[in-house]
Amino acid sequence: GQQLNQSPQSMFIQEGEDVSMNCTSSSIFNTWLWYKQDPGEGPVLLIALYKAGELTSNGRLTAQFGITRKDSFLNISASIPSDVGIYFCAGLNYGGSQGNLIFGKGTKLSVKP
Amino acid sequence: NAGVTQTPKFQVLKTGQSMTLQCAQDMNHNSMYWYRQDPGMGLRLIYYSASEGTTDKGEVPNGYNVSRLNKREFSLRLESAAPSQTSVYFCATGTGGSIRGYTFGSGTRLTVV
């Protein structure tokens, strides 16, 4: 089935640093989504991308829908302690067989004050 | 508050015991999903229901059964729990082809001893 390769698997950074993570796939997706999961909670949607090449920001977060439609990137600028959590990418193909959304395995972010 | 409610939040079972995880949504979404989350494995789809009256297997359905009781409720049953089913279980809902992503509950943390 379809798979998303999300990297890096984990990051341990200093407060104030910028963060970059990405997802790649061998398949084309129509929509890319980025979620954040706080410790002990369910994932929450951060950003949704609907067009190839689209660049969208949400505060200090910026995400891009790759031109090839096979990848997406998430950047966090000037990280703060509350950015700690697991970030998931998800790709959507309309009419997929296993539900619609395919999730990456997540990037675990730790921030040192 | 609108959202997805999962019960119970925590559960410890002995091997061979059965239990049902409950999920209820008041978002009027058509689709509902059950995921399990294990360290380093991301979110794996167990079962989903595209609409009331239909259910389909996901990536890891073995050892589980589901019931879409009505539009609001989607339950997950473990008939004979095994230690390999120790995990965090998330229910999610979606609508409109899922282009806005899914809304997740806060999870059920299950330990099978």
Side-chain angles (χ1 to χ4, degrees), chain A residues 1-2 6-7 15-16 27 30-31 36 40 48 50 52 59 76-78 80 86-88 94 96 98 103-104 109 112:
Chain A
Q2 295 173 314
Q6 186 171 350
S7 64
E15 182 177 358
S27 303
N30 300 314
T31 297
K36 183 194 177 193
Y50 299 110
I76 305 172
S77 62
I80 59 178
I86 302 176
Y87 292 79
F88 291 100
Y94 306 132
Q98 286 195 340
F103 284 90
L109 179 64
K112 188 165 50 177

Side-chain angles (χ1 to χ4, degrees), chain A residues 10 15 51 63 95:
Chain A
S10 63
E15 182 177 358
K51 288 169 51 177

Side-chain angles (χ1 to χ4, degrees), chain A residues 35 37 40 50 94 97 101, chain B residues 37 45 48 90 99 102 109:
Chain A
Y35 284 83
Q37 183 181 25
Y50 299 110
Y94 306 132
S97 61
L101 227 52
Chain B
Q37 183 178 28
L45 183 64
Y48 70 101
F90 288 100
I99 62 172
Y102 299 162
R109 284 144 187 83

